Amino acid sequence: MHKVKNKDVFKASWTYHSAPESTGHVQIKKKYDLYIDGKFTKPVAGTYFDTINPSDHKKIASVAEATEKDIDKAVKAARSAFKSWSALTGRERGKYIFRIARLIQERAREFAVIESLDGGKPIRESRDIDIPLAANHFFYYAGWADKLSYAFPNRIAKPLGVVGQIIPWNFPLLMAAWKIAPALATGNTIVLKPAETTPLTALKLAEIIHESGLPKGVVNLVTGAGETGAAIVNHPDIDKIAFTGSTRVGKYILNATAGTPKKLTLELGGKGANIIFEDAAIDQAVEGIINAIFFNQGHVCCAGSRLFVQESVADLVIRKLKDRMKTLIVGDPLDKNTDIGAINSKKQLQTIENYINIGINEGGEIYQPDCTLPSKGNWCPPTLFLNVSQSHRIVQEEIFGPVLAVQTFRTIDEVIEKANNTPYGLSAGVWTDKGSKIFHLTQKLNAGVIWANTFNKFDATSPFGGYKESGFGREGGLHGLKPYVTFE
Ligand code: NAI
Ligand code: MG
C-alpha cells in the first residue's frame, strides 16, 4: 500500500460551537492537484480556483482546474488500466472496494467536517447521513463484485470501459460513492469530476483510494467547473457518461452525446409532491414535511417541495407546520444543533431569492419565521407559500432551496392529477394510515421514488432515479449495476 504524503497540510482547528467533545483537527491542504494515473498531478495549464466556505465566504483551499489536456491524460490512464482491472476476478475487485469503504468509516468524522465546511450542510446531516451512507454504498457494491452472475442470471455481463462521471454539490461524497462503487464493482475504470463549489471530500476520497492500493488509473479525479465537465462529455474515448445535476446541463449532455456511441444516464431535477391525507398521523406528517423540504437546505433533487394537504386538515397542518418552522435553527453548519445550514453558493442563493420574489409577485402568501441570520455567508430562512396554484412558477419549477409551496385538495383523483402535473417525475411522499391508498398512489404517481409515511430515506439497496425531465437510468441497489454493463 502507498502512503500519502501530507507535506502541504495545514492543521485547521475548526471549532464545533456546541460539540466540544468533537473539537479536533481536520487536515485540509492549502492546494489540491488532480489525481491522475495514481499520482497527484499539477494541471497542464497551471490554473487553480478557490473553494470557499459558504457560511463565511472565506477561502478554504486552492483546487486545480483541469482542461482538455488533463482530461485526455486521465482518460488515457483509465483506458490503460481498464484491461487489467476488468480482467481481475470480481472477488479481487470487491476487496479493493471494501477497503475503500473501511477507510471512509475510519475517517468519517474528518469527512463530515470537510463536507459541512465546503458545502454548508449541517454537521448532523454530514455525520449521520452523507458519510455513513457513502461508506455503505462501497460496502454494498463490494458485495456484488463477485456475484454479477447472480445479478444477471444466464447472461454474461461485461463492463463498458472508461466511464466519465460528473456530480453535483448537494451530496458531494455520497454522489461520488453512488457513481464510483457500482462502476468499480462491474469492472469499469473512471474519470470523475466533483462540482466546483464542493471538491474537497472527493479529493479526500482520492487520497483514500490511493491509500487503499487500488491500481493506478482505475479511478482518476479531475476538478474544475462546467468546461472541465464538457471536456469529459466530449472526449471521444469515453464509453459512458453518468451525470447528476441540473436539467439544463443534462440536456446539453444529451445533445453532445447524441450521434456518438456513448451510453448515458441522467439524474436531474425534481419537484416532489408530498401528500397528506386527513387520516394521516398529523404530528408525524408535520415532521415529515419539515424533513422533506428543509433537509440539506432543500438542495435535494427529490425534496418534497410541493405540499398537498387534504382540505379537512389543512388549517391544523399549516398551523403546526408554521409552529415547527419557528423552532428551526438556521446557522453555523458546524454547530450540531443547526437544522438549516448555509446555502451552497451565492449563485444558488440568488436563484432561491429570485424564486421567492416570483412567488410574491405571482400573488403567493409568504411565511417566514423570525430568525436571526448570521451576518456573513449565504443564508435563507425556512419559507412557505400559501395561496398558490398549479400555474404558479414556484409550483412548477425546481427552486432547490428551503421553499415550500402549499396547496390543498379534496379528492384522491384531484391530488393525483395535480401531483403529476409538472415536467418532473422523481419523488413523492404519501401520508395516510390506509395501506390501500398507498398502493393506489404508488400505481398512479409518476415518480421514480415514492415514500409512504416517511420522506428522504435513502439506502444503498434501493434504486433511485426519475421519469420525464428528472432523467433516466437508476442508481443504487441491483438496478444500479445495470447502467455499467453490456451483455455478450
Ligand atoms: P449544474 O448542472 O451546472 O452542475 C452539476 C455538475 O455539472 C457540476 O459538476 C458542474 O461543474 C457540471 N457541469 C456544468 N456545466 C457542464 C457542462 N456543460 N458539461 C458537463 N458538466 C457540466 O448545476 P448548478 O448550476 O450548480 O445548479 C443549478 C440548478 O440545477 C439547481 O438550482 C438545481 O435546480 C439543479 N441541480 C440539481 C441537482 C440534482 O441533484 N439533480 C444537483 C445540482 C443542481
Ligand atoms: Mg466550497
Side-chain angles (χ1 to χ4, degrees):
M1 271 203 243
H2 329 261
K3 198 87 196 107
V4 189
K5 284 201 198 113
N6 271 334
K7 266 194 197 153
D8 193 22
V9 160
F10 73 89
K11 290 225 165 139
S13 47
W14 310 99
T15 317
Y16 283 63
H17 289 184
S18 55
E21 76 280 8
S22 324
T23 303
H25 292 299
V26 171
Q27 294 198 322
I28 300 177
K29 293 182 191 174
K30 285 182 184 152
K31 197 171 182 185
Y32 285 88
D33 288 320
L34 308 168
Y35 184 64
I36 296 176
D37 205 18
K39 291 187 287 288
F40 286 93
T41 311
K42 298 215 174 311
V44 173
T47 42
Y48 290 79
F49 61 96
D50 293 347
T51 188
I52 62 141
N53 178 342
S55 72
D56 61 11
H57 293 159
K58 284 193 185 137
K59 172 179 170 180
I60 308 174
S62 304
V63 178
E65 184 180 4
T67 53
E68 267 175 38
K69 285 187 179 150
D70 303 296
I71 300 304
D72 192 48
K73 278 166 67 181
V75 173
K76 286 202 170 96
R79 179 60 63 195
S80 89
F82 177 65
K83 209 167 166 195
S84 51
W85 177 248
S86 58
L88 278 188
T89 61
R91 178 166 304 172
E92 283 303 312
R93 286 200 307 273
K95 280 188 202 166
Y96 286 109
I97 304 169
F98 187 84
R99 229 178 271 160
I100 295 168
R102 286 298 303 269
L103 286 166
I104 295 174
Q105 267 188 334
E106 279 172 23
R107 314 276 164 80
R109 199 188 68 81
E110 203 173 346
F111 268 113
V113 173
I114 296 173
E115 200 72 300
S116 287
L117 271 176
D118 202 14
K121 66 174 67 200
I123 188 72
R124 227 176 38 218
E125 293 178 8
S126 311
R127 187 193 61 191
D128 298 346
I129 298 169
D130 292 63
I131 311 304
L133 257 184
N136 282 347
H137 272 80
F138 282 100
F139 280 124
Y140 176 78
Y141 284 109
W144 272 121
D146 63 353
K147 300 174 194 70
L148 296 179
S149 58
Y150 295 93
F152 306 109
N154 307 320
R155 305 174 88 181
I156 296 179
K158 295 191 339 183
L160 299 174
V162 177
V163 300
Q165 304 183 320
I166 299 169
I167 58 172
W169 40 264
N170 50 345
F171 295 93
L173 185 72
L174 184 57
M175 288 302 108
W178 279 29
K179 296 275 183 288
I180 294 174
L184 288 184
T186 43
N188 297 279
T189 56
I190 295 167
V191 177
L192 178 131
K193 189 192 87 63
E196 55 273 33
T197 58
T198 55
L200 295 181
T201 47
L203 285 158
K204 185 104 206 138
L205 180 65
E207 291 177 2
I208 272 183
I209 285 173
H210 193 70
E211 208 174 317
S212 76
L214 189 78
K216 64 177 189 167
V218 174
V219 173
N220 303 276
L221 191 114
V222 292
T223 40
E227 274 183 36
T228 309
I232 297 175
V233 169
N234 295 314
H235 195 290
D237 198 30
I238 283 189
D239 299 292
K240 179 204 161 78
I241 299 290
F243 172 76
T244 299
S246 61
T247 299
R248 183 185 65 83
V249 174
K251 285 183 179 169
Y252 162 79
I253 296 176
L254 200 54
N255 285 320
T257 55
T260 78
K262 284 180 188 129
K263 294 203 162 38
L264 182 59
T265 42
L266 297 176
E267 204 271 274
L268 309 174
K271 195 75 190 176
N274 203 4
I275 304 170
I276 318 294
F277 286 98
E278 60 191 1
D279 56 19
I282 296 298
D283 287 340
Q284 271 176 41
V286 169
E287 280 311 299
I289 298 166
I290 294 277
N291 173 43
I293 185 62
F294 301 127
F295 171 53
N296 198 23
Q297 297 75 247
H299 300 330
V300 181
C301 49
C302 54
S305 50
R306 288 180 300 150
L307 176 63
F308 292 98
V309 194
Q310 200 154 20
E311 218 172 70
S312 49
V313 290
D315 288 346
L316 176 69
V317 169
I318 291 163
R319 181 166 49 75
K320 285 186 179 245
L321 184 58
K322 285 181 174 174
D323 283 346
R324 183 67 176 90
M325 283 168 70
K326 287 179 196 150
T327 69
L328 295 174
I329 299 172
V330 185
D332 185 358
L334 290 188
D335 185 328
K336 71 175 181 186
N337 293 316
T338 291
D339 298 301
I340 301 183
I343 299 301
N344 183 268
S345 65
K346 280 188 188 163
K347 178 183 142 201
Q348 189 59 31
L349 181 60
Q350 273 161 12
T351 303
I352 298 168
E353 286 174 343
N354 189 33
Y355 272 115
I356 291 178
N357 287 331
I358 291 171
I360 294 168
N361 292 337
E362 286 188 339
E365 180 192 326
I366 189 172
Y367 173 74
Q368 290 175 324
D370 286 335
C371 53
T372 358
L373 302 175
S375 53
K376 271 197 194 144
N378 314 324
W379 309 100
C380 180
T383 303
L384 68 77
F385 274 100
L386 301 167
N387 202 19
V388 292
S389 63
Q390 289 296 103
S391 60
H392 281 80
R393 281 184 66 192
I394 58 164
V395 171
Q396 290 293 325
E397 298 174 23
E398 184 175 57
I399 300 175
F400 226 60
V403 183
L404 179 65
V406 184
Q407 296 183 76
T408 59
F409 69 94
R410 284 191 186 158
T411 67
I412 193 164
D413 288 341
E414 178 194 346
V415 78
I416 290 168
E417 146 111 42
K418 283 182 173 168
N420 285 337
N421 179 15
T422 76
Y424 295 110
L426 190 55
S427 71
V430 181
W431 299 79
T432 166
D433 74 349
K434 292 269 183 316
S436 55
K437 250 187 227 163
I438 295 171
F439 248 51
H440 183 66
L441 280 152
T442 51
Q443 305 296 312
K444 298 287 179 192
L445 293 173
N446 289 332
V449 190
I450 301 171
W451 286 288
N453 296 325
T454 187
F455 211 101
N456 279 336
K457 275 259 155 51
F458 307 98
D459 191 87
T461 63
S462 305
F464 186 92
Y467 295 106
K468 303 197 285 184
E469 298 224 343
S470 296
F472 48 79
R474 293 292 179 265
E475 295 183 295
L478 175 55
H479 295 69
L481 293 166
K482 211 170 164 193
Y484 289 103
V485 295
T486 177
F487 298 105
E488 264 184 2

